[in-house]
Amino acid sequence: SIMEIGNGAFEYCEALEEIHIPKTVASIGNNAFSGCKKLRSVKLPDQLNAHQNDFPERPIGSFVVVS
């Protein structure tokens, strides 16, 4: 299972529109989603310490914390 999303893991992945991060992920690295121009929906587990600011390139239409 995935425990971490590393620095720049999806940087400039321009086709990425939606992500659902599983509960097993404990951290997101710097610029992991930087440059993802089509990203509009992010679903995060409640125990993950991440914020909309971690996805700086575009306004996120749906930013949901899932328990």
Side-chain angles (χ1 to χ4, degrees):
S1 58
I2 300 168
M3 299 173 63
E4 176 182 358
I5 298 174
N7 294 339
F10 296 96
E11 192 170 21
Y12 298 108
C13 182
E14 295 184 14
L16 187 63
E17 295 181 14
E18 179 177 328
I19 57 173
H20 185 172
I21 299 174
K23 291 183 178 188
T24 57
V25 173
S27 66
I28 297 175
N30 294 330
N31 300 312
F33 298 97
S34 179
C36 297
K37 294 180 179 182
K38 292 185 180 179
L39 184 60
R40 294 288 185 262
S41 177
V42 178
K43 293 182 183 175
L44 304 169
D46 60 357
Q47 78 275 7
L48 181 63
N49 187 16
H51 305 283
Q52 189 163 355
N53 293 343
D54 293 335
F55 307 88
E57 298 299 319
R58 294 281 181 184
I60 306 295
S62 173
F63 193 81
V64 178
V65 176
V66 180
S67 55

